[in-house]
Amino acid sequence: MSTPRSSSPPLRSPEQLHGDPAVSTDAARRTPAPPAGTYLGMPRFQKNAREQLANEQLRKNLRHATGTIRAKRADRVAEVPEWEELRLAGEAIKNRTLRHLDTYLVQLEESLTRAGATVHWARDAAEANRIVVDLVKAKGVDEVVKVKSMATQEIELNEALEEAGVAAWETDLAELIVQLGHDRPSHILVPAIHRNRSEVREIFLREMKQYGTPAPEDITDDPAELAGAARRHLREKFLRAKVAISGANFAVAETGTLVVVESEGNGRMCLTLPETLISVVGIEKVLPTFADLEVFMQLLPRSSTGERMNPYTSMWTGVTPGDGPQEVHVVLVDNGRTNALADPDGRAALRCIRCSACLNICPVYERVGGHAYGSVYPGPIGAVLNPQLRGIEHEIDQSLPYASSLCGACFEVCPVRIPIPDMLVHLRKQVADHKRGPHVESTAIALAGWVLSDHKHLELAERAAALAARALPHTTHLGPLPWPASPWTRARDLPMPPQESFREWWRKNRGEERR
Amino acid sequence: MTIHTQGITVALFATCINDVMFPGTPRAVVSVLERLGCRVEFPLDQTCCGQMFTNTGYFDAALPDVRNYVKAFSRYDYIVGPSGSCIGAVRHQHPMLADYAKDAKLAEAVDEVVAKTYDFTELLVDVLGVTDVGAYFPHRVTYHPTCHSVRVAKVGDRPYQLLSKVKGIDLVPLEAADQCCGFGGTFSVKNPDVSVAMGADKARHVLDTGAEYLVAGDNACLMHIGGLLHRENSGVKTIHLAEVLAHTEGAAA
């Protein structure tokens, strides 16, 4: 397919950046700079969450967005009588694949190679980024268009390309909002869930003109107008790009077919128009056979967007002469996945198909949003995935397993039945073991452990509690108290213990006759 | 399942939090079961389900509790506790902890005792075959189905079956009932800000019902929601389901 191509835009001049301190320091950049700092340098979840909770606009946006999508998912799932069987099938297929991952990956490589694709293997993010940057540079281009992809977010490919002088343009509407907003994604499926339409309007007005086709000066916050501005802004990039970068929702070992599931058609543009297509795929995305897609194409759209079927499903098998990209690369990325696979209590996380149902249902996510989790993978799945992919050396990853009330709603909605609450408990054990030496928590646990290890110890504690209650006979509740009671009593009253424990009552009233 | 209308012997697992902080709840269980003709025993060597330790990542601190539970309750055919969360922990976590301890004998004993362990509502509805326990509670109440009672112990609609048969009760639905109240065990103090944000929404939904009492099957969750309601002098009281069921005509409400 032949398309008119103009030259890529020049570097932005300092004048264009004038008056915007957020971007004025990166005049040499091709794309909007993300916020300063790194995910791994972030403080613990508890601290991030406190900041996010104070943002009323964020709370309102999240309450509305997660509530809407939750209800849609529930409706679409309720109309499938065999939903539980589908979940069990999804779980079984993924488990079988993971058990024989080595075999299926080699089969995938053979199928892809046979179909004319070039397969690359990357142990970690740095290797994957180097492979992609080299491929892009070899094509002699200085910009690429991107399909929304969690794997490339995870390895921070855009920044690696930027450092190499290549502009990576996000073409998914929400990813575009995040990129133009100098922001980070806060949701797996709807990365700009924390933004509302008036914020989007401001971002488009301020930023689009810096990086290509501007938004109309008189644009309102009407969603159709905003989408129209994005379409015009992106169109010139689609038509100009010679190289596209994607991820994949599934990679079929049997046939070498990659699958991208999307809603906007931007993916279809990227996957068909450019001459070269590079797909960055986590090694857990492999499925044994084409027929396995039957199960996942039912599970994924209903779980993620609450639709019976998503609007665009693209499948491609290597190179088709004369049709679509004539050079196809697939970069298979480990980046911590084999570590997770080696852990019997952790490997279930690799079943994840990135649907976001667990985020949308999570009462913690609903209140703090995605940025508190310090990763492109937020919410319950992020809380189990990040400490496995990245390890538990950093404060943020040590805190993530505790970012849950263990309410269990995530497991109920997970289309591949990942037992997230159980996995969080196992990860908490890893974190507790990791923190060697006595500290406040381990000391408190040791004390409580002693009290509850034997009923005689417990009775001592009960007598102490009863003494305290008798000393304050008119107090029913305790109000704000200093540390260590403050985390509870800052907002919640604490009931006084009773003057008589149940055990004591039993001894007096039933003890004579029975034990 | 066979329904036992004749008196059976039931061992009461009070749970540590009820034993120490909320003795009215296990007393209510005793009262209801005796009213229904059961013989109740309370093995004095019982302590705790250990879930506070397990869920904070300290499996070794939970193991003595697993052994205590087996020791205290193995000899009984029916073990009952007034807590979906603690009963859920016994069923779901004790087998995992016995495996963790690599103690095959303990694992076997745990499996046996777990099969005989019931939440209070399950014992009433499934074993004793009753939903009308002769209770009288002339108040407007709303019920919060606690997460672990629904998703771990899986008590289903049994609490509603029981509450709907209480004479004089005005049971009103709770908005977003299936959403967590934010207690979450040590989550409530390790992430207090999120916990309170979740609890505030739950408390708001409770207030919206105009209920006098918030009822639930777990006193830990009630302590959290009730702590918020009490701080703001809302006038809404919290009460365990067992205490509602223990209430009869003639007793002062």
Side-chain angles (χ1 to χ4, degrees):
Chain A
M1 166 171 217
S2 128
T3 51
R5 290 168 202 275
S6 60
S7 62
S8 56
L11 292 179
R12 287 166 300 135
S13 67
E15 287 78 11
Q16 282 175 292
L17 296 166
H18 183 74
D20 190 344
V23 290
S24 61
T25 53
D26 46 73
R29 287 185 60 100
R30 300 286 316 278
T31 57
T38 61
Y39 279 129
L40 284 177
M42 281 179 71
R44 62 192 192 280
F45 175 83
Q46 185 187 338
K47 190 166 179 291
N48 307 331
R50 194 180 305 138
E51 284 168 22
Q52 301 292 325
L53 283 170
N55 183 340
E56 294 87 357
Q57 182 69 59
L58 177 81
R59 298 281 295 275
K60 180 170 173 282
N61 294 358
L62 283 168
R63 191 162 52 234
H64 174 73
T66 59
T68 307
I69 200 161
R70 257 197 319 254
K72 271 181 77 182
R73 179 209 158 268
D75 288 348
R76 290 289 85 81
V77 165
E79 65 189 20
V80 183
E82 70 276 23
W83 183 253
E84 191 55 26
E85 283 74 19
L86 278 171
R87 288 177 80 210
L88 287 162
E91 177 187 14
I93 293 168
K94 282 284 183 179
N95 280 350
R96 175 161 54 94
T97 312
L98 291 169
R99 205 156 49 233
H100 307 290
L101 189 60
D102 49 349
T103 308
Y104 290 121
L105 283 172
V106 170
Q107 192 190 358
L108 175 67
E109 181 182 35
E110 287 165 1
S111 302
L112 279 166
T113 309
R114 200 162 49 236
T118 308
V119 175
H120 310 259
W121 298 89
R123 267 176 290 237
D124 54 26
E127 246 180 48
N129 286 333
R130 196 159 57 239
I131 291 165
V132 177
V133 167
D134 287 349
L135 288 170
V136 172
K137 299 290 266 187
K139 302 314 292 179
V141 298
D142 63 357
E143 65 170 354
V144 299
V145 285
K146 283 190 68 205
V147 188
K148 178 171 166 32
S149 142
M150 292 311 298
T152 60
Q153 292 275 12
E154 174 190 326
I155 63 174
E156 299 182 15
L157 175 64
N158 290 7
E159 282 310 285
L161 287 167
E162 175 70 48
E163 277 168 32
V166 177
W169 304 115
E170 294 290 350
T171 65
D172 170 84
L173 178 54
E175 291 287 3
L176 177 71
I177 294 166
V178 169
Q179 184 177 38
L180 290 176
H182 301 264
D183 203 353
R184 287 206 170 100
S186 70
H187 190 279
I188 291 174
L189 181 78
V190 267
I193 197 169
H194 56 291
R195 298 288 196 192
N196 63 18
R197 51 163 110 164
S198 59
E199 291 173 298
V200 173
R201 176 183 168 272
E202 282 166 33
I203 291 168
F204 280 9
L205 261 179
R206 189 181 68 226
E207 303 286 341
M208 274 183 172
K209 57 177 179 258
Q210 318 256 8
Y211 302 99
T213 308
E217 283 301 324
D218 61 348
I219 191 169
T220 71
D221 65 0
D222 173 48
E225 277 189 51
L226 294 169
R231 185 178 294 117
R232 278 187 299 279
H233 181 80
L234 291 170
R235 187 59 50 124
E236 66 160 330
K237 293 184 161 57
F238 285 132
L239 296 179
R240 202 170 59 217
K242 290 193 168 68
V243 177
I245 294 175
S246 82
N249 291 95
F250 308 103
V252 181
E254 175 191 46
T255 57
T257 306
L258 298 195
V259 183
V260 161
V261 175
E262 48 130 358
S263 298
E264 295 168 15
N266 65 300
R268 180 70 54 83
M269 300 282 273
C270 293
L271 297 167
T272 52
L273 288 176
E275 294 157 8
T276 300
L277 174 59
I278 304 166
S279 302
V280 180
V281 183
I283 53 172
E284 85 286 14
K285 293 284 153 207
V286 64
L287 286 179
T289 69
F290 200 83
D292 293 326
L293 288 172
E294 177 205 351
V295 170
F296 293 98
M297 289 309 298
Q298 293 181 76
L299 287 173
L300 180 55
R302 286 177 197 265
S303 298
S304 82
T305 48
E307 293 169 301
R308 295 188 181 100
M309 179 49 74
N310 52 292
Y312 294 87
T313 300
S314 300
M315 301 186 181
W316 69 103
T317 306
V319 174
T320 304
D323 184 14
Q326 294 301 294
E327 190 176 329
V328 171
H329 295 271
V330 179
V331 185
L332 295 169
V333 184
D334 183 333
N335 203 31
R337 285 159 177 76
T338 48
N339 292 342
L341 188 62
D343 180 355
D345 296 315
R347 63 178 62 134
L350 298 179
R351 298 206 291 260
C352 177
I353 55 173
R354 313 284 190 257
C355 73
S356 325
C358 65
L359 278 63
N360 300 327
I361 201 79
C362 179
V364 175
Y365 178 88
E366 180 189 328
R367 286 166 183 86
V368 304
H371 290 154
Y373 293 80
S375 162
V376 298
Y377 302 116
I381 188 64
V384 295
L385 202 52
N386 296 312
Q388 295 201 74
L389 296 181
R390 307 193 298 209
I392 51 170
E393 299 302 317
H394 295 269
E395 203 179 14
I396 181 71
D397 290 319
Q398 289 174 8
S399 69
L400 286 178
Y402 295 93
S404 164
S405 64
L406 302 179
C407 81
C410 47
F411 171 71
E412 274 190 342
V413 298
C414 177
V416 286
R417 297 171 47 89
I418 300 172
I420 294 175
D422 293 345
M423 296 175 71
L424 287 169
V425 168
H426 281 280
L427 285 165
R428 288 176 184 190
K429 176 162 194 327
Q430 288 182 21
V431 172
D433 289 351
H434 182 80
K435 292 187 195 161
R436 293 217 181 77
H439 47 91
V440 174
E441 182 183 282
S442 64
T443 309
I445 292 280
L447 181 66
W450 180 83
V451 167
L452 293 167
S453 66
D454 189 304
H455 68 98
K456 294 190 197 80
H457 304 168
L458 178 58
E459 283 165 39
L460 276 178
E462 285 173 354
R463 279 202 282 278
L467 277 178
R470 279 175 212 143
L472 297 166
H474 304 297
T475 308
T476 62
H477 286 77
L478 299 171
L481 293 171
W483 191 87
S486 53
W488 181 277
T489 60
R490 203 180 304 128
R492 294 162 285 206
D493 286 344
L494 186 67
M496 277 293 285
Q499 296 190 15
E500 182 184 68
S501 69
F502 174 74
R503 196 178 293 265
E504 199 55 37
W505 176 88
W506 179 270
R507 276 219 178 86
K508 283 182 194 158
N509 294 279
R510 297 288 193 284
E512 297 304 306
E513 9 174 349
R514 287 164 245 158
R515 45 178 293 119
Chain B
M1 174 169 294
T2 323
I3 296 211
H4 298 264
T5 46
Q6 289 304 310
I8 53 170
T9 298
V10 178
L12 171 61
F13 174 42
T15 79
C16 67
I17 183 173
N18 286 326
D19 184 7
V20 180
M21 293 293 292
F22 305 101
T25 297
R27 286 208 305 267
V29 173
V30 173
S31 157
V32 172
L33 291 179
E34 289 182 345
R35 200 161 77 214
L36 295 169
C38 299
R39 178 187 156 83
V40 182
E41 295 197 10
F42 177 76
L44 286 165
D45 46 353
Q46 65 179 277
T47 55
C48 167
C49 69
Q51 105 169 273
M52 171 172 66
F53 308 119
T54 317
N55 286 349
T56 314
Y58 295 82
F59 291 9
D60 292 298
L63 275 171
D65 301 336
V66 178
R67 296 184 198 282
N68 279 341
Y69 191 85
V70 167
K71 190 160 153 265
F73 293 107
S74 283
R75 61 183 177 281
Y76 294 99
D77 292 329
Y78 300 97
I79 304 136
V80 70
S83 162
S85 192
C86 306
I87 295 300
V90 168
R91 283 184 190 159
H92 189 66
Q93 293 184 329
H94 284 200
M96 181 275 286
L97 289 164
D99 285 345
Y100 164 74
K102 296 191 170 52
D103 185 337
K105 243 181 95 183
L106 180 65
E108 200 182 320
V110 162
D111 285 345
E112 278 177 32
V113 79
V114 159
K116 305 185 288 185
T117 296
Y118 301 86
D119 176 67
F120 183 49
T121 60
E122 294 172 321
L123 189 87
L124 293 176
V125 177
D126 301 349
V127 179
L128 300 174
V130 290
T131 48
D132 184 348
V133 298
Y136 172 71
F137 198 72
H139 299 283
R140 188 181 178 91
V141 309
T142 194
Y143 177 76
H144 168 53
T146 62
C147 301
H148 288 188
S149 73
V150 175
R151 301 196 185 98
V152 186
K154 297 190 165 61
V155 302
D157 68 349
R158 292 176 186 85
Y160 294 101
Q161 292 183 41
L162 291 158
L163 282 170
S164 65
K165 295 287 171 60
V166 173
K167 286 187 194 66
I169 204 165
D170 178 15
L171 178 61
V172 290
L174 177 65
E175 174 81 17
D178 61 353
Q179 206 178 53
C180 180
C181 72
F183 170 64
T186 49
F187 175 78
S188 63
V189 287
K190 284 180 80 83
N191 275 290
D193 302 282
V194 189
S195 172
V196 166
M198 290 160 70
D201 286 346
K202 183 62 73 181
R204 180 165 48 79
H205 291 313
V206 170
L207 291 173
D208 287 346
T209 66
E212 298 163 71
Y213 286 93
L214 169 66
V215 183
D218 274 293
N219 276 327
C221 307
L222 287 179
M223 184 169 79
H224 163 72
I225 312 167
L228 290 162
L229 290 169
H230 193 267
R231 176 64 56 90
E232 52 187 279
N233 285 316
S234 68
V236 179
K237 287 162 279 193
T238 56
I239 186 168
H240 192 283
L241 174 64
E243 295 179 48
V244 174
L245 299 180
H247 233 275
T248 51
E249 231 160 332

